Amino acid sequence: MSLVFAHLPQFARWVGALPNPPGHGNGDGSGVQVPDPPPSAPPGLDEKVSTLLSWGKWAVLVCGVAGLFICAGQMAIGRKNRSTFAADGATGIPWVLGGLSLAATASAIVGVFFK
């Protein structure tokens, strides 16, 4: 243990000789400015990406309706003597609604990170 403490003054001199890392200026605000350009679509891709996103929204909508139909069917079939099947259908409803809610608010959620 004394070997570690014996080299401590040399280590302190070595660390003190290092320059401050970028962004950690001397307290005078001399940090490095990082560029932050706004997002922009590559030329010619904005329409294609919008089409792809609209197809994705449509697919999520269809899956959400199908999911609610499946949950309703499970609840209807499991009404008599199959209570676990009905319970599975009922517990699936919040998951379907959560997925639809996430899809509906996805652009707003992503937009928060680019403001």
Side-chain angles (χ1 to χ4, degrees), residues 1-2 7 9 17 23 28-30 32 34 37 62 64 70-71 74 76 93 99-100 103 105 108 112 115:
M1 193 60 125
S2 63
H7 295 291
D28 59 357
S30 63
V32 176
V34 178
V62 169
I70 290 169
C71 289
Q74 284 181 317
I93 292 172
L100 288 171
T105 60
V112 166
K115 286 188 178 185

Side-chain angles (χ1 to χ4, degrees), residues 36 106-115:
D36 189 17
S107 63
I109 292 171
V110 172
V112 166
F113 295 103
F114 288 105
K115 286 188 178 185

Side-chain angles (χ1 to χ4, degrees), residues 18-67:
L18 292 176
N20 286 334
H24 294 88
N26 296 327
D28 59 357
S30 63
V32 176
Q33 292 292 346
V34 178
D36 189 17
S40 64
L45 281 183
D46 49 348
E47 279 187 39
K48 293 177 183 175
V49 171
S50 293
T51 301
L52 187 64
L53 289 175
S54 66
W55 289 351
K57 284 182 179 182
W58 179 83
V60 169
L61 179 66
V62 169
C63 289
V65 171

